[in-house]
Amino acid sequence: DTAVSQTPKYLVTQMGNDKSIKCEQNLGHDTMYWYKQDSKKFLKIMFSYNNKELIINETVPNRFSPKSPDKAHLNLHINSLELGDSAVYFCASSQGRQRNIQYFGAGTRLSVL
Amino acid sequence: GDSVTQMEGPVTLSEEAFLTINCTYTATGYPSLFWYVQYPGEGLQLLLKATKADDKGSNKGFEATYRKETTSFHLEKGSVQVSDSAVYFCALSSNNAGNMLTFGGGTRLMVKP
């Protein structure tokens, strides 16, 4: 079983559309994250949720809205997609105070045309 | 704030060559240091870590030593294999940032047979 799974793996869409990326972890972790990796491989944290509560919200446009229905899921909804949103988005999870030991999903490559 | 600087890639080596990927950091206090690896098409995974000065982290033939005097955590491997081709990320976490990870820009390693 995949520990952290993201769907879809690839997402191609037009500017202005709204899309969602789903993330699920079966590790029993209490904290989940979304990262954005740009074309130069820079990895930047976007959001972090602990037990369904938002604990980190970096400087991200409010077109991005994370939703955590339970502590095993953290979905990312993006409104009014822009060209600059094209990137690979990674979900990750960790447990307790060991927030620096994170388990990553395989990523979702988003291409906005 | 905290930051991590890695050598820019790509680093191209022949099989069995010696590898060094440089990493230096800036942080207040006493951070923990990490190397994460991203194989093609996969998410990041923890490779090794060190939590205090002079600690050496090691895994899969890779090693890195926490050098407080030079604020460095260089990754080394004595003999690389084609299967080591990946992107390597140096990262730190500190208590004053809630143990969240701060990543360097990543270094792509390509190993040729």
Side-chain angles (χ1 to χ4, degrees), chain A residues 17-80:
Chain A
N17 284 351
D18 302 339
K19 290 292 178 186
S20 292
I21 306 172
K22 295 185 176 181
C23 179
E24 176 181 4
Q25 54 94 4
N26 63 8
L27 298 167
H29 288 171
D30 58 9
T31 305
M32 295 184 72
Y33 312 83
W34 276 107
Y35 288 87
K36 180 180 180 181
Q37 185 179 47
D38 64 23
S39 57
K40 294 186 177 180
K41 298 294 185 184
F42 281 99
L43 200 64
K44 298 192 85 172
I45 190 162
M46 301 172 68
F47 302 101
S48 175
Y49 268 71
N50 176 260
N51 283 322
K52 295 169 49 180
E53 290 190 17
L54 182 66
I55 57 171
I56 287 179
N57 181 356
E58 293 296 315
T59 309
V60 177
N62 58 14
R63 298 181 295 103
F64 290 78
S65 54
K67 288 183 171 42
S68 183
D70 56 61
K71 71 176 191 176
H73 295 83
L74 181 62
N75 303 324
L76 184 64
H77 188 76
I78 315 170
N79 288 329
S80 303

Side-chain angles (χ1 to χ4, degrees), chain A residues 33 37 41 90 100 102 105, chain B residues 36 38 43 93 99-100 108:
Chain A
Y33 312 83
Q37 185 179 47
K41 298 294 185 184
F90 286 101
N100 45 36
Q102 295 182 13
Chain B
Y36 275 78
Q38 182 183 19
S93 72
N99 277 337
M100 298 302 295
R108 181 181 295 279

Side-chain angles (χ1 to χ4, degrees), chain B:
Chain B
D2 296 347
S3 66
V4 178
T5 303
Q6 294 180 231
M7 60 189 288
E8 284 196 27
V11 173
T12 304
L13 295 173
S14 297
E15 214 166 15
E16 298 184 4
F18 184 86
L19 168 71
T20 300
I21 299 178
N22 290 339
C23 170
T24 57
Y25 67 90
T26 303
T28 54
Y30 303 96
S32 295
L33 302 174
F34 305 83
W35 279 99
Y36 275 78
V37 58
Q38 182 183 19
Y39 297 105
E42 298 183 13
L44 281 72
Q45 54 186 275
L46 179 65
L47 179 60
L48 54 83
K49 67 174 183 175
T51 56
K52 61 183 189 297
D54 299 325
D55 269 2
K56 178 184 285 188
S58 61
N59 187 22
K60 299 182 181 180
F62 291 89
E63 57 183 36
T65 302
Y66 189 144
R67 301 283 188 204
K68 194 171 188 312
E69 63 276 12
T70 53
T71 62
S72 65
F73 193 54
H74 303 322
L75 182 69
E76 297 182 335
K77 186 174 185 182
S79 175
V80 293
Q81 306 299 312
V82 172
S83 58
D84 293 326
S85 298
V87 181
Y88 292 82
F89 291 88
C90 186
L92 68 81
S93 72
S94 56
N95 287 337
N96 62 359
N99 277 337
M100 298 302 295
L101 286 167
T102 298
F103 286 95
T107 302
R108 181 181 295 279
L109 169 65
M110 295 191 294
V111 181
K112 297 182 176 178

